[in-house]
């Protein structure tokens, strides 16, 4: 028997009452409860990830937006259910690896993924980064070669071989390039009478001023680098402002001429002792054309656009450095370092500043220090459109106890894997109805990235042929409209979810305008997207709230656990009366337990609730005293006391005010302390909280210094060393004398005597004849 219209309405009403009766008040936060108030397919799918919309014309339950499971229970046909279908699929996931001769390093994984986004839903993808060992390094030295930098050039030339060894210690795969700069060769940057010899004022000869000169493309030939530096010529200009930004822009954009390698870590070290001209200074020379960020090097490496284009701005330099993945190191003298540090702060993720000695003798140490600083930090950025939100979370490889919302990490150990968790959320649909996008998440200083192929789920995928004459469809829309994709399309003069509101009575001409009256205003110009805060139904511009909710927009929950003696209920929140605090207003408001030794409540880094500190990010500790990246307030507070105790322990004299220094601020309690042989690495490095909840200062135990013994040891050592030195000196003297005498004797033996022919020997010699001598012997007494 055919059911009459009145019977059908009665049946529908009974079904709705039965359904309402089965919904428990305690289950108000269930998924179905969140879904059921959505009155359109688009709003339904945007309410919750598990909300689904039924377009079945035979569906007789009042709420078309429920979970898929519930819709099937209420006999909605499966093909007529439209639901959210988020997808995350990793398409390319090469493992992290260090640089090898044949294969490139992999420092970011995964490399590509597919995402299907649902409005309001967040999808999380894990991104891992690890600094590769032996990764290629392209280092371009850009040097100021004006007159005051002449000794720095000579130093760099002398340090060529040592520079090679320094780079080998950093990475076995490096290349060097060289270029020099001065300033625009025109008035007022130079004097017209000194155009050919800008160093005339110094009574010296140098070559004419030039803007920028590319001397050597990137190469692994170190002798060629040393030769390029040696062959470069000193020039000069009039003021202490140089054209460094002009030169830096050319180094950045002349990719082929410089020889930048795509996969290498690209670094420019800019060496100067002066300030730099900025955008607009070209007007002083009549140069008004804006820097075009194009390469203008001729075959000789000369910058030909120096007199045609203005200096680039810092913003233009920054954007090009980011786009081309080039890091810059400013090696400057102490007189100008403060200005360059301010400049570097504007692009801190890709720049570094350090002080250069007067003659650049510390440039090797500076290169090593700056390179290590660059490779120990990482930062990621993306090109997502404004309707897609990208949020990054990481603990920086264990540097933080929990995930922090940040896209960067410092002090990253070489070889340490850092995991970033990227939350991708579709905030709204694009106005141009383009539902396919490509997003690149890339490391800011390397050519390492992850590509995301993003597809947006359409607002409502229903594709149905409208049928204004369908009896079932018109019945569900109170015969004042027809059903299309589960939603009522109202006849002229009617509006509302079920076409029950006359437009002349509501002064609105569309259902959307009627629903706008049921949305809570957020500001003077914007309202919430939720109809009746998703806790009620909009009946011709008025919210009919669910049980447990109240307010003109059903925005307030009824207070269930507020003690009327301790708090007042205000829009679902317990507003504590004077002297009480806590989420349930059951804390008496006493903050004494949150006051640390410094006298501050939670070290002014958190709030005290129920006599316990709740720290703000990223602070830690009982009193929120620890900043993982900076300092520890309690350590700083106890430092004078610990210093005094150690001095007293070592016999360096007793502190006159030890009691005052090692006492609480009110001088009523003296801090207990104990000496240990070494600090427990698991504990705070300056104090320990024992089981009785008292603060105990803990210092490393050092034996008192015996100064008499030290003086004796030093004196004895000095005496022995002196005697040893004297002995060695005497031995050396005797050995030398012996060698000299032996040499003298040898010379005497080998020498041939030369007689002077005019020389007469003063000694006369006479000989007695032998015969006479014998005769006298035979007769000695003969007469």
């Amino acid at each position: 028997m055919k059911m009459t219209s009145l019977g059908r309405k009665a049946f529908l009403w009974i079904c709705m009452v039965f359904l309402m009766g089965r919904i428990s008040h305690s289950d108000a936060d269930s998924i179905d409860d969140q879904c059921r108030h959505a009155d359109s397919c688009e709003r339904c799918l945007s309410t919750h990830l598990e909300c689904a919309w039924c377009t079945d014309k035979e569906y007789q339950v009042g709420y078309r937006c429920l979970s898929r499971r519930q819709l099937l229970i209420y006999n909605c046909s499966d093909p007529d259910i439209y639901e959210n279908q988020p997808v995350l699929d990793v398409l390319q996931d090469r493992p992290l690896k260090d640089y090898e001769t044949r294969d490139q390093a992999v420092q970011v994984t995964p490399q590509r993924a597919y995402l299907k986004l649902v409005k309001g839903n967040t999808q999380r993808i894990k991104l891992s980064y690890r600094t590769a060992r032996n990764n290629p390094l392209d280092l371009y030295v850009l040097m100021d070669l004006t007159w005051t930098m002449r000794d720095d050039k000579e130093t760099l030339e002398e340090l060529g071989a040592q520079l090679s060894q320094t780079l080998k210690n950093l990475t076995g795969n490096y290349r060097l390039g060289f270029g020099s700069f001065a300033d625009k060769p025109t008035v007022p940057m130079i004097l017209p009478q000194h155009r050919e010899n800008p160093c005339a004022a110094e009574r010296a000869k140098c070559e004419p001023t030039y803007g920028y000169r590319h001397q050597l493309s990137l190469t692994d030939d170190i002798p060629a680098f040393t030769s390029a530096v040696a062959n470069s010529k000193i020039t000069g200009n009039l003021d202490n402002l140089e054209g460094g930004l002009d030169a830096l822009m050319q180094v950045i954009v002349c990719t082929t001429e410089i020889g930048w390698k795509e996969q290498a870590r690209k670094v420019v070290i800019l060496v100067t002792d002066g300030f730099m001209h900025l955008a607009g200074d070209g007007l002083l020379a009549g140069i008004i054309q804006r820097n075009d960020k194009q390469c203008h090097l001729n075959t000789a490496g000369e910058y030909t656009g120096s007199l045609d284009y203005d200096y680039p701005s810092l913003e233009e330099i920054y954007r090009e450095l980011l786009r081309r993945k080039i890091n810059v190191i400013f090696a400057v003298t102490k007189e100008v370092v403060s200005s360059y540090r301010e400049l570097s702060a504007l692009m801190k993720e890709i720049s570094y500043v350090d002080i250069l000695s007067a003659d650049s003798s510390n440039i090797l140490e500076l290169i090593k220090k700056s390179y290590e600083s660059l490779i120990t930090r990482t930062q990621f950025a993306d090109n997502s459109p404004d309707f897609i939100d990208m949020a990054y979370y990481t603990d920086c490889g264990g540097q933080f106890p929990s995930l922090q919302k940040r896209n960067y990490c410092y002090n990253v150990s070489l070889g340490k894997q850092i995991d970033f968790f990227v939350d991708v959320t579709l905030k709204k649909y694009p106005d141009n109805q383009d539902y396919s996008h490509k997003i690149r998440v890339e490391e800011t200083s390397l050519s390492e990235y992850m590509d995301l192929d993003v597809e947006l789920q359409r607002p409502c995928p229903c594709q149905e042929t409208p049928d204004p004459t369908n009896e079932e469809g018109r019945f569900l829309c109170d015969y004042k409209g027809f059903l299309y994709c589960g939603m009522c399309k109202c006849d002229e003069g009617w509006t509302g979810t079920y076409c029950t509101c006359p437009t002349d009575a509501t002064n609105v001409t569309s259902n959307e305008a009627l629903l706008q009256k049921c949305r809570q205003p957020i500001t003077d110009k914007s309202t919430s997207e939720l109809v009746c805060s998703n806790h009620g139904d909009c009946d011709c511009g008025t919210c009919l709230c669910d049980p447990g909710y109240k307010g003109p927009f059903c925005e307030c929950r009824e207070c269930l656990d507020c003690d009327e003696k301790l708090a007042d209920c205000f829009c679902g929140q317990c507003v504590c009366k004077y002297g009480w605090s806590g989420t349930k207003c059951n804390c008496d408001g006493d903050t004494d337990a949150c006051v640390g030794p410094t006298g501050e409540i939670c070290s002014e880094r958190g709030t005290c609730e129920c006599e316990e500190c709740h720290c703000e990010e990223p602070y830690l500790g009982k009193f929120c005293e620890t900043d993982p990246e900076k300092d520890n307030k309690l350590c700083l507070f106890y430092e004078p006391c610990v210093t005094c105790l150690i001095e007293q322990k070592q016999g360096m004299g007793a502190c006159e005010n030890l009691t005052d220094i090692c006492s609480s601020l009110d001088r009523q309690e003296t801090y207990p302390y104990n000496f240990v042989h070494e600090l427990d690495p698991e504990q705070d490095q300056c104090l320990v909280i024992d089981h009785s909840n008292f603060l105990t200062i803990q210092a490393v135990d050092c034996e008192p210094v015996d100064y008499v013994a030290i003086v004796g040891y030093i004196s004895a050592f000095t005496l022995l060393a002196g005697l040893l030195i004297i002995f060695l000196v005497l031995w050396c003297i005797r050995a030398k004398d012996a060698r000299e005498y032996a040499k003298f004797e040898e010379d005497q033996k080998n020498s041939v005597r030369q007689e002077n022919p005019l020389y007469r020997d003063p000694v006369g010699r006479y000989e007695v004849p032998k015969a006479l001598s014998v005769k006298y012997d035979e007769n000695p007494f003969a007469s």
Side-chain angles (χ1 to χ4, degrees), residues 226-247:
T226 305
S227 176
V229 177
N231 294 331
S232 60
K233 305 297 183 182
I234 292 293
T235 183
N237 63 338
L238 183 59
D239 57 11
N240 194 34
L241 294 174
E242 322 296 1
L245 291 186
D246 248 355

Side-chain angles (χ1 to χ4, degrees), residues 282-283 285-291 307-310:
L283 294 173
I287 302 173
I288 61 175
Q289 190 169 353
R290 184 175 179 177
N291 194 286
L307 298 180
D308 298 327
Y309 300 100
D310 191 12

Side-chain angles (χ1 to χ4, degrees), residues 623-640:
F623 302 108
C624 308
E625 71 277 2
T626 302
D627 185 339
E629 293 186 338
K630 293 183 179 179
D631 56 18
N632 185 309
K633 274 197 172 185
L634 293 190
C635 283
L636 297 177
F637 179 77
Y638 287 125
E639 184 176 359

Side-chain angles (χ1 to χ4, degrees), residues 733-752:
I733 293 174
R734 290 178 65 85
K736 182 179 180 182
D737 290 345
R739 287 194 301 270
E740 292 291 334
Y741 184 74
K743 182 179 179 182
F744 170 75
E745 288 186 335
E746 184 69 22
D747 292 342
Q748 286 293 100
K749 291 179 180 179
N750 299 330
S751 64
V752 178

Side-chain angles (χ1 to χ4, degrees), residues 139-150:
L139 178 63
Y140 191 90
V141 180
L142 180 60
M143 195 166 192
D144 174 4
L145 286 188
T146 53
W147 177 256
T148 55
M149 293 289 290
R150 60 192 184 280

